[in-house]
Every structure is written in C-alpha cells, then in structure tokens.
C-alpha cells in the first residue's frame, strides 16, 4: 500500500508578474508535493498555470494545499483551484493509432473562428493537444492560431482535409495542415 496522498491538479490564475512559478513551486516543495507535470501561459497580461503534483505524505489533503497556497499569496490578486485527480481517467487512444499534426490558420479575427475550426476537428474525432491563438505577426489585422492535434489513423485524410479547407474558406482564413515532423523541420532555425 502506498503512503502517498492522491495526486492533485492545481490551477493558478491572476495578474502576471515575475516570480509566481518560483513561489508556487516553493510552497509546494515545502508541503512535500512533487511537481510531476506543469504548464503555464500568459493571456492578456494574466498568468494561467497548471500543475500536477504528487504529495509524499498520505495525510496531505486538498484543503491543506489550497489553504497554504492562498495564505502564501494573501492580499495578492491570484486565484487557486485544487482538485484530487481520479485514477480512472478516460482511456486514451493507443500509441501509434494517431498521427501528430500542426494546423495553422491565418486571417482576420471574427466571431466563431475557434468554434468553426474545432467543430471540424471534433467531427473527425481529432484531439487538440495544444492551442495558441492570437500569435503576434507584423500585420496586426491578421489573427494566427496554431493547433497541435492528434489525428486518428482511421480518419479519411482526404475528407478531413476537404472539411478543414472548406471551413477555412468559409471563415476567410488561410489554413496549413502539416505532419508535426514536417512542421518542425520547416520551422527549425
């Protein structure tokens, strides 16, 4: 029997400034929480970070972790969310049953842009593994979105491409779909 507490997912949101990750990770280390996975980004000057932690003490619970983080940032504009992670996650496709692609759209911003593209991806059972919108370009009138997706090998690639390019045309977007290996080779400096 393990003497570890259940893994937890921690989300942190608030006004961005230097030192947030250092302080959050420091508080987690003091509590005996090992960070197993983490990601963070900045959205309109707002910090958004997520951490998966494995507490080393069985007695450490969600309320203690949340309380320590809130106390550690008392009076500062940060919001924390802590949730235990259930062991029975939905099954992921077996490795090798999908191909990684990078999908890029460029064009004017408009209502329903993300919904239009993701609707096509959803219809074909394509999983989005990362998404960046509003990537800066020299032309501020152009809105760039980059999706990293896993396309099931069972998907009819011709129908998938036709649906994507059709939606892009409808949304006045230029679209590029490249296997991740090709994308990385082309964009390697």
């Amino acid at each position: 029997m393990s003497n570890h507490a259940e893994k937890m997912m921690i989300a942190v949101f608030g006004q961005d400034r230097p030192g947030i990750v250092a302080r959050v990770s420091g508080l987690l280390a003091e509590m005996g929480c090992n960070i197993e996975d983490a990601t963070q980004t900045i959205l309109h000057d707002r910090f958004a970070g997520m951490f998966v932690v494995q507490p080393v003490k069985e007695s450490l619970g969600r309320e203690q972790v949340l309380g320590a983080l809130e106390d550690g940032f008392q009076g500062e504009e940060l919001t924390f969310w802590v949730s235990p992670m259930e062991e029975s996650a939905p099954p992921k496709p077996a490795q090798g049953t999908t191909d990684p692609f990078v999908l890029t759209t460029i064009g004017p911003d408009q209502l329903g842009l993300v919904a239009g593209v993701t609707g096509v991806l959803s219809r074909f059972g394509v999983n989005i593994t990362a998404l960046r919108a509003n990537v800066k370009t020299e032309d501020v009138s152009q809105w760039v979105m980059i999706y990293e997706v896993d396309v099931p090998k069972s998907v009819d690639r011709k129908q998938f491409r036709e649906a994507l390019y059709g939606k892009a045309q409808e949304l006045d977007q230029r679209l590029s779909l490249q296997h991740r290996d090709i994308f990385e080779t082309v964009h390697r400096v």
Side-chain angles (χ1 to χ4, degrees):
M1 182 171 156
S2 169
N3 61 355
H4 293 260
E6 192 173 17
K7 287 183 185 179
M8 297 179 203
M9 171 72 80
I10 299 170
V12 184
F13 306 97
Q15 185 64 45
D16 186 42
R17 58 186 171 276
I20 294 174
V21 174
R23 288 174 60 195
V24 168
S25 60
L27 287 166
L28 292 171
E30 287 174 16
M31 288 183 278
C33 292
N34 183 42
I35 297 174
E36 292 189 345
D37 202 356
T39 185
Q40 71 118 112
T41 191
I42 308 298
L43 299 168
H44 283 257
D45 297 326
R46 295 286 175 167
F47 175 91
M50 292 189 294
F51 304 82
V52 173
V53 300
Q54 174 67 68
V56 295
K57 295 181 197 168
E58 191 175 2
S59 60
L60 190 62
R62 174 198 171 276
E63 293 301 324
Q64 290 172 284
V65 172
L66 179 60
L69 290 169
E70 288 175 340
D71 288 347
F73 286 87
Q74 195 169 26
E76 300 181 48
E77 189 187 326
L78 279 179
T79 301
F80 295 92
W81 175 84
V82 179
S83 177
M85 293 183 67
E86 294 182 22
E87 291 297 322
S88 57
K92 293 176 71 174
Q95 192 170 15
T97 60
T98 61
D99 282 322
F101 279 83
V102 177
L103 186 159
T104 305
T105 62
I106 303 171
D109 187 23
Q110 61 183 286
L111 186 65
L113 189 54
V114 175
V117 173
T118 59
V120 174
L121 297 175
S122 175
R123 200 169 72 231
F124 283 88
V126 174
N127 191 40
I128 301 169
T129 57
L131 165 62
R132 284 206 62 207
N134 196 18
V135 177
K136 302 293 182 204
T137 65
E138 290 180 15
D139 183 352
V140 294
S141 71
Q142 298 297 292
W143 184 266
V144 180
M145 295 194 310
I146 302 172
Y147 300 82
E148 292 182 37
V149 298
D150 286 337
V151 179
K153 288 188 176 184
S154 59
V155 164
D156 182 314
R157 301 296 163 93
K158 183 176 181 221
Q159 289 180 2
F160 179 54
R161 285 184 182 274
E162 285 175 356
L164 275 177
Y165 283 95
K167 181 57 73 175
Q169 187 173 18
E170 182 183 311
L171 295 169
D172 194 21
Q173 301 288 304
R174 291 178 311 211
L175 184 141
S176 167
L177 179 66
Q178 295 177 307
H179 193 279
R180 187 181 302 155
D181 295 343
I182 295 170
F183 180 86
E184 289 174 355
T185 300
V186 168
H187 293 88
R188 189 171 294 140
V189 178

